[in-house]
Amino acid sequence: MTEGQMTIPGQVIEDTVVPACEPWSAEVRKGDVVRLVDIEGQQAVDFLCYDLADRAERYNAANTIKLNNNIYLGQGTVLWSVRARPMMTIIADTCGSHDTLYGCCSIEIDRVRFEKENSWGCQQNFEKELAKHGMGEKDIAANVNFFMYVPVREDGQIAIADGLSKPGDYVDLMAERDVLVIISNCPERDNAAAGYEPTPVRAIVYTPADC
Ligand SMILES: [Zn+2]
């Protein structure tokens, strides 16, 4: 199921298949890279990051949009913090479009928008994973959605569309400081975020060969 033959341009520190619907986290040192692989395609990966030494210094969607002058994330995008410091940079991207407007799914929002009582969401995954690091609900900010396609029309209309990611697409995120990375492999089955059928993703941490 995993693309075990994928070439990693450096020394692999961790290589994990994150099962469908599960969270994952890692402490990543400055200069190291997190590669997120959409193994089967059309699978949203909800993402947050924090300065390892000062968790109040965290990813900020609005600053990232302002300082990149764009609502979409792709190769070359810097992820900025709430204090306008660089957190991570997207140094490779085979997909081409990632969202940071739409936030994450949750039991609560699904209750409102789908009138369904789902048992789990990315909000719950974030809380579960953050708890391993002594953190919780108050630490959750508006997140990145890697591999999720959210087109915005001229009149401002916005919706999740079918994902553009193909099997094996990946993003490489280089840490600009020591960071804590938290992801939720999105469990949503009621919209296109996970292609209506959540699938595993792969998370690799590596030290680039030229460092
Ligand atoms: Zn989700």
Side-chain angles (χ1 to χ4, degrees):
M1 180 170 288
T2 65
E3 300 212 340
Q5 305 308 313
M6 172 179 274
T7 302
I8 307 300
Q11 177 81 34
V12 174
I13 298 167
E14 178 182 344
D15 187 347
T16 302
V17 172
V18 183
C21 310
E22 290 292 322
W24 172 88
S25 61
E27 296 181 356
V28 183
R29 297 295 160 188
K30 181 179 178 180
D32 285 350
V33 177
V34 177
R35 174 171 291 190
L36 301 173
V37 185
D38 186 353
I39 297 172
E40 298 185 29
Q42 297 191 322
Q43 174 59 50
V45 176
D46 291 49
F47 172 101
L48 290 168
C49 66
Y50 306 80
D51 185 301
L52 197 53
D54 178 3
R55 308 292 169 86
E57 183 85 283
R58 62 188 182 183
Y59 173 72
N60 185 269
N63 284 349
T64 298
I65 291 167
K66 279 179 278 195
L67 292 171
N68 291 290
N69 299 305
N70 206 302
I71 57 170
Y72 299 121
L73 281 55
Q75 186 152 350
T77 298
V78 176
L79 308 186
W80 292 89
S81 78
V82 67
R83 297 175 189 145
R85 296 189 178 112
M87 302 291 286
M88 303 186 86
T89 299
I90 300 176
I91 60 169
D93 172 25
T94 66
C95 173
S97 184
H98 309 277
D99 164 74
T100 194
L101 291 176
Y102 222 75
C104 71
C105 66
S106 68
I107 294 171
E108 294 81 5
I109 188 71
D110 283 359
R111 197 174 286 145
V112 175
R113 63 181 169 174
F114 303 128
E115 297 181 337
K116 280 185 72 173
E117 201 60 34
N118 285 332
S119 60
W120 205 247
C122 286
Q123 173 87 13
Q124 285 66 41
N125 262 342
F126 280 150
E127 289 176 15
K128 176 182 169 184
E129 198 65 21
L130 283 165
K132 297 178 183 173
H133 303 274
M135 302 162 75
E137 185 181 9
K138 290 178 180 173
D139 298 297
I140 298 175
N143 56 283
V144 177
N145 292 303
F146 286 112
F147 310 115
M148 193 164 103
Y149 182 44
V150 183
V152 180
R153 291 196 340 192
E154 211 167 301
D155 65 358
Q157 267 198 31
I158 182 171
I160 300 174
D162 286 342
L164 302 176
S165 55
K166 306 173 297 296
D169 271 347
Y170 63 87
V171 287
D172 279 5
L173 296 140
M174 190 185 71
E176 300 287 356
R177 57 188 62 240
D178 293 351
V179 291
L180 170 65
V181 168
I182 306 273
I183 71 168
S184 166
N185 191 10
C186 181
E188 183 62 75
R189 294 176 184 275
D190 292 307
N191 62 32
Y196 299 94
E197 184 59 52
T199 51
V201 297
R202 186 173 164 195
I204 303 160
V205 183
Y206 69 90
T207 302
D210 57 354
C211 280

